[in-house]
Amino acid sequence: MFCNKSTALDPPFNETGRPYGRLVFALLIFFLTVGPVQAAPYLPQEDGKVLERLPDSPLDPEVKAVKQLKLALAQDPKNLSLALSLARRYIEQGRAQSDPRYFGHAQGVLSPWWNEAAPPVEVTILRATIRQSLHDFDAALADLNRILTLNPQNAQARLTRAVIFQVKGELAAAKRDCLSLMGAADSLAWATCLGGTGASRDELKKGRDVLQPLLAESAQAIPQEKVWARTVLAEVALRLGEEKEAETHFKEALRITPRDPYLLGAFADLLLDQGRVAEVVDLLKNETKADALLLRLALAEKALKAAEFPLHQQWLSDRFAASRERGDQVHRREEARFRIHLTGEVTEGLRLARENWEVQREASDLRILLEAAREGRDDFLLKMGIAWMNKVGFEDARLNTLARL
Amino acid sequence: MAKWIKTLSFLFFLLLGFSASARAHKSSDSYLVLRSEGERVEGQWDVSLRDLEYALGLDGDQDGAITWGELRSRQGAIADYLFGRLEIKGDGATCSIQPSGTLVDRHSDGAYAVLTFQALCPSAWKGLEIHYRSFFDLDPEHRGLVRFESEGGLKTAVLSPVKSIQTFSREDSPRERLFAFLAFVKEGVWHIWTGFDHLLFLIALLLPSVLRKREGRFEGVLNFKSAFFDVLKIVTAFTVAHSITLSLASLRVVSLPSRWVESAIALSIAAAAVNNFYPLFGGRRALIAFGFGLIHGFGFAGVLRDLGLPPSSLISSLLAFNGGVELGQGAVVAAFLPFAYWLRRGWFYQRLALVGGSCLVVGVATLWFVERFFNLELPII
């Protein structure tokens, strides 16, 4: 009605740009009246129509190995060593693609032992890992505590526990666990664990001084170990306000694992902070499946006023709604950022940031808490965040302005 | 030592990134919708293709893509798998499930097969029991999201391995209906108490009710009865008017943009207050109450829309909400009138409360108008 055929198809023929203006207006009216397009079930017309692309190619040797294991386990579901090895592969896949379905598969594989009070040690550690991925930190810690009471030398349990303590903001406890790994783990792993537990600038620098030379000497270390060390060094640098150095570490790490979701997210945050939004779009334009990365992409697109922004915002909104419908609460940090920085639903964002803070307390959780408190003018929450920083001695160059009363 | 390192090296796969919960997609869900009309049950079950691939293997040619042809050729196996793990019982008697087709749809995390079916229950039933077991053995994080639509309204449940059975009743119990009704009454009262603008409008209109004009000057009315009837007239006019528009807007007969409505409400408050010291409309305050009451009704309707009206109990919810509004309004008037009557003769009431108060109201309402009309946020209020 607003847009006849010639207007839509002809190139602009005068300099006022009116044809485009009309097109935009027509689209606006269309979207206002039609609203978010609701898909409806349909009957595909051709057999060849591709409905879904699987995340991994069936020809991939890793995928083939998983398939073999799955078949073998189906014959013998209570075979512990088969189950452990399959569960580990699922967890690896889940992490590499940041896809929680694989964690569910791992849990299914371990189901003969899952509900036991004291399953075999290896199962318990994987159960703790899966519980951690569901943000059930207390249950995960209970599992690990049990193992460490029986055998304080279990390095795997101790390292996993150190990371959970770190996520919960219990940096002193994390540090104790990392320190006790000295000699038990190889030195790079030990130093990386320790490097992530610094609270003050002083501690951060000390940790870096230990880790950096060790990384330089460990040319033989496995790639994942190096990536972990680089990531910790980058995050330490960010908290010390050394963005250039952080960028170097991120890029080095991305050279080894270019599609690691966590690395991509952390690096994108640095770029967003520096206003390098076009680079964020370049980095993430093909990573729309991971919610956390889609969020960063949308933040950049919003700043660029990119055409994809409304669509990506809608996707995020749909995905958060779907998660909420099933009763998931693991997305609170991302959703808080979404509400506050993208949709402007400050009250809702504030609630999410507060609830998230009750569960996890990393630098980025603190940041969204403070940002939410400022946006929502919630002095109580702001003071709460600052009080925590003072108590723990937590310093972060990025939070200096945010954490001022 | 070598063993330590081996253990640990595996661990790095696990650890890195966990802390950041760079989660994506979501865990596995299926969406089961059951619509009942009388004893008939129509079902629609959306199941993720990835979950079906994991359980049954759909990718026949191993090319990493699932086509419609591959899905279609496995329809029977899919129905056997799914309906073998779903039981529907009407008042305890198992209903037979008749699959009626397979369609395709997209959800936020990918493509889904949509299975339509009918559940034929052997006898009339009041309660429908769902036993859900699909995928739980393969993925304990799987959830069955069930929607049950019936004359009694919409009910939902999330089914999991620990809670795999859910009973839905076709009609709400009287107790449930009463609670739903009272909830809307409460919302109505609450809205009057917190929606300061309606109160302010009413107070501005009622301020002169305990006074009468003689030779251009105000003086207190002689008896309570005349004040009471004046208030009654105004409150009734306001009530009738806003009930009309509240109903029309809630039933979607008329709709106005909320920015327009909210701005007009602010203007109506200012006009009612101005009338107290500068006769805009003279003494016909009941008429103002009626005219502007129509606009306030649209405001109430906006609140009610945000609450979400259950289609099955539209009228009763509307009545309950309106009743709540009247209750809240009645309480305010009951508190105001004796107080005003008692103070009516003094300088305090005739000058400070009537003129000063009205000026204050004009000020506040004007600010509201500016905020609402120009979509601004003024720091003062």
Side-chain angles (χ1 to χ4, degrees):
Chain A
M1 153 175 74
F2 289 96
C3 165
N4 58 40
K5 204 174 160 202
S6 72
T7 317
L9 296 177
D10 291 351
F13 47 81
N14 60 17
E15 288 177 13
T16 64
R18 239 182 90 229
Y20 284 139
R22 251 149 92 184
L23 183 63
V24 169
F25 184 55
L27 283 175
L28 194 72
I29 294 292
F30 175 76
F31 284 115
L32 280 178
T33 44
V34 174
V37 181
Q38 288 290 322
Y42 68 98
L43 187 70
Q45 295 306 310
E46 306 155 29
D47 276 355
K49 184 177 165 65
V50 172
L51 306 176
E52 181 76 287
R53 293 204 180 275
L54 298 174
D56 355 68
S57 155
L59 302 174
D60 185 321
E62 174 66 20
V63 176
K64 276 188 170 160
V66 166
K67 199 157 190 183
Q68 290 300 323
L69 275 171
K70 194 181 160 194
L71 284 172
L73 193 67
Q75 301 301 315
D76 185 9
K78 293 208 170 145
N79 184 325
L80 181 61
S81 76
L82 277 181
L84 284 172
S85 118
L86 183 56
R88 281 185 185 134
R89 281 164 190 264
Y90 280 139
I91 291 174
E92 282 168 34
Q93 275 182 311
R95 206 208 62 70
Q97 297 174 25
S98 130
D99 183 345
R101 258 198 176 82
Y102 292 109
F103 290 93
H105 296 170
Q107 187 177 336
V109 166
L110 297 175
S111 58
W113 303 273
W114 187 269
N115 289 318
E116 284 176 20
V121 169
E122 290 293 309
V123 173
T124 313
I125 292 179
L126 294 186
R127 183 168 75 179
T129 308
I130 294 167
R131 286 176 163 171
Q132 182 198 349
S133 85
L134 298 168
H135 290 207
D136 190 355
F137 297 132
D138 292 342
L141 282 177
D143 276 343
L144 298 170
N145 290 341
R146 197 178 56 80
I147 295 174
L148 288 168
T149 323
L150 295 174
N151 175 16
Q153 305 300 320
N154 189 319
Q156 195 171 346
R158 199 166 287 280
L159 193 50
T160 312
R161 192 171 78 173
V163 170
I164 297 181
F165 279 139
Q166 217 178 304
V167 175
K168 282 169 64 83
E170 295 176 24
L171 295 177
K175 193 173 186 175
R176 271 198 301 280
D177 272 342
C178 292
L179 280 173
S180 72
L181 281 170
M182 191 184 342
D186 69 290
S187 47
L188 183 57
W190 167 77
T192 309
C193 180
L194 195 64
T197 63
S200 64
R201 292 181 65 87
D202 231 28
E203 271 182 292
L204 289 169
K205 282 182 183 158
K206 276 186 195 153
R208 181 168 69 180
D209 291 345
V210 177
L211 177 54
Q212 206 140 22
L214 277 170
L215 176 63
E217 289 163 17
S218 312
Q220 311 303 324
I222 57 160
Q224 283 73 17
E225 220 179 296
K226 288 192 218 164
V227 169
W228 188 28
R230 288 280 180 196
T231 312
V232 167
L233 282 172
E235 290 184 329
V236 167
L238 284 176
R239 278 174 57 193
L240 292 171
E242 298 163 7
E243 296 186 346
K244 271 219 172 93
E245 192 183 330
E247 184 166 346
T248 313
H249 289 304
F250 278 135
K251 283 185 168 160
E252 276 298 313
L254 282 168
R255 226 166 35 83
I256 306 172
T257 50
R259 293 200 56 196
D260 183 289
Y262 179 62
L263 262 180
L264 287 172
F267 185 41
D269 280 344
L270 170 60
L271 295 176
L272 284 169
D273 281 344
Q274 297 181 338
R276 292 154 69 184
V277 282
E279 287 173 67
V280 175
V281 174
D282 276 345
L283 188 69
L284 300 180
K285 57 177 181 274
N286 295 320
E287 302 290 343
T288 53
K289 275 199 168 169
D291 297 352
L293 300 183
L294 180 60
L295 171 75
R296 275 119 176 147
L297 178 63
L299 284 165
E301 286 168 346
K302 185 184 183 187
L304 284 169
K305 300 193 170 66
E308 294 84 4
F309 170 65
L311 180 67
H312 287 159
Q313 177 171 343
Q314 186 60 45
W315 284 0
L316 279 167
S317 176
D318 291 347
R319 292 191 199 171
F320 288 131
S323 290
R324 188 169 313 163
E325 216 181 327
R326 81 188 300 274
D328 261 1
Q329 302 201 304
V330 287
H331 286 78
R332 280 180 289 217
R333 176 168 69 199
E334 271 76 32
E335 194 179 345
R337 277 181 80 174
F338 175 71
R339 300 287 166 208
I340 288 170
H341 297 308
L342 282 182
T343 63
E345 293 159 278
V346 177
T347 321
E348 181 63 6
L350 194 64
R351 184 183 66 78
L352 288 161
R354 192 180 57 224
E355 286 178 6
N356 177 59
W357 180 248
E358 293 305 315
V359 183
Q360 37 177 32
R361 301 185 169 183
E362 290 185 281
S364 46
D365 302 300
L366 180 60
R367 180 173 180 174
I368 188 62
L369 180 81
L370 297 176
E371 285 173 346
R374 285 211 177 272
E375 282 291 318
R377 298 183 193 173
D378 189 330
D379 277 353
F380 178 77
L381 218 55
L382 192 63
K383 283 179 186 153
M384 196 176 83
I386 294 170
W388 181 84
M389 290 177 79
N390 292 335
K391 195 183 88 190
V392 179
F394 192 90
E395 290 181 284
D396 187 329
R398 292 165 297 179
L399 303 181
N400 284 344
T401 352
L402 271 175
R404 201 170 292 144
L405 272 176
Chain B
M1 187 69 193
K3 196 173 170 228
W4 281 111
I5 294 177
K6 205 174 152 219
T7 321
L8 281 168
S9 63
F10 155 67
L11 212 66
F12 298 124
F13 283 98
L14 302 190
L15 287 176
L16 179 62
F18 268 8
S19 57
S21 77
R23 298 197 41 129
H25 325 74
K26 62 178 179 52
S27 298
S28 149
D29 295 313
S30 87
Y31 302 88
L32 176 63
V33 181
L34 296 166
R35 293 185 189 90
S36 98
E37 274 174 52
E39 275 107 40
R40 265 173 64 96
V41 181
E42 297 278 347
Q44 179 188 322
W45 196 357
D46 294 19
V47 182
S48 158
L49 291 189
R50 281 192 61 196
D51 291 341
L52 290 172
E53 159 67 23
Y54 186 65
L56 301 168
L58 298 182
D59 185 16
D61 59 1
Q62 297 287 301
D63 67 346
I66 297 169
T67 59
W68 168 237
E70 285 168 334
L71 176 64
R72 207 170 49 88
S73 67
R74 302 297 303 280
Q75 271 184 80
I78 292 170
D80 287 348
Y81 178 85
L82 291 174
F83 294 122
R85 287 165 177 76
L86 176 72
E87 221 182 325
I88 299 177
K89 291 179 177 178
D91 288 349
T94 303
C95 313
S96 86
I97 295 177
Q98 312 279 325
S100 56
T102 305
L103 301 169
V104 175
D105 199 0
R106 276 200 89 75
H107 287 260
S108 66
D109 61 339
Y112 279 59
V114 177
L115 283 83
T116 53
F117 63 91
Q118 278 187 5
L120 306 174
C121 302
S123 55
W125 53 271
K126 285 204 161 63
L128 205 64
E129 213 175 280
I130 316 298
H131 297 244
Y132 185 103
R133 290 195 312 275
S134 283
F135 302 115
F136 286 159
D137 53 336
L138 298 173
D139 179 354
E141 280 303 308
H142 175 78
R143 298 288 176 266
L145 275 54
V146 189
R147 274 168 74 94
F148 177 75
E149 298 170 9
S150 71
E151 302 91 325
L154 171 69
K155 286 164 196 157
T156 59
V158 179
L159 299 181
S160 65
V162 285
K163 187 189 176 299
S164 60
I165 303 175
Q166 174 76 35
T167 307
F168 296 107
S169 58
R170 208 167 72 202
E171 281 164 23
D172 287 331
S173 66
R175 207 178 122 89
E176 283 172 309
R177 260 178 294 181
L178 181 68
F179 275 124
F181 187 83
L182 289 179
F184 274 98
V185 173
K186 194 181 132 203
E187 287 297 339
V189 175
W190 190 241
H191 180 59
I192 275 288
W193 277 99
T194 53
F196 207 54
D197 37 3
H198 308 296
L199 280 186
L200 219 51
F201 175 72
L202 210 56
I203 296 286
L205 274 181
L206 294 183
L207 275 174
S209 287
V210 292
L211 305 172
R212 59 174 185 171
K213 248 191 177 154
R214 254 178 67 172
E215 294 153 14
R217 291 195 50 198
F218 280 116
E219 60 174 49
V221 292
L222 293 177
N223 53 25
F224 189 73
K225 206 171 122 192
S226 68
F228 179 80
F229 278 105
D230 192 66
V231 167
L232 188 68
K233 218 166 59 187
I234 291 169
V235 171
T236 310
F238 184 59
T239 303
V240 170
H242 72 226
S243 300
I244 293 173
T245 43
L246 171 60
S247 308
L248 289 178
S250 299
L251 301 172
R252 300 186 187 268
V253 180
V254 190
S255 98
L256 290 176
S258 82
R259 182 163 152 205
W260 192 94
V261 170
E262 294 300 320
S263 310
I265 286 177
L267 265 189
S268 76
I269 301 166
V274 166
N275 191 53
N276 287 342
F277 50 83
Y278 181 85
L280 285 176
F281 314 98
R284 287 161 299 177
R285 288 176 5 261
L287 206 65
I288 315 177
F290 187 86
F292 286 139
L294 292 172
I295 298 167
H296 285 247
F298 283 110
F300 294 137
V303 176
L304 197 51
R305 204 166 36 239
D306 290 344
L307 289 175
L309 272 177
S312 57
S313 50
L314 188 68
I315 302 292
S316 73
S317 309
L318 183 59
L319 285 176
F321 182 80
N322 205 356
V325 168
E326 310 319 341
L327 272 180
Q329 177 183 295
V332 172
V333 173
F336 162 83
L337 184 59
F339 199 58
Y341 184 74
W342 177 53
L343 289 173
R344 72 191 186 282
R345 291 196 205 277
W347 168 89
F348 173 79
Y349 190 88
Q350 293 177 11
R351 295 262 122 212
L352 198 65
L354 183 68
V355 182
S358 296
C359 287
L360 200 67
V361 171
V362 173
V364 172
T366 312
L367 281 175
W368 276 342
F369 174 75
V370 174
E371 276 194 333
R372 292 169 187 184
F373 191 77
F374 298 102
N375 224 345
L376 297 171
E377 203 171 309
L378 300 177
I380 324 165
I381 38 176

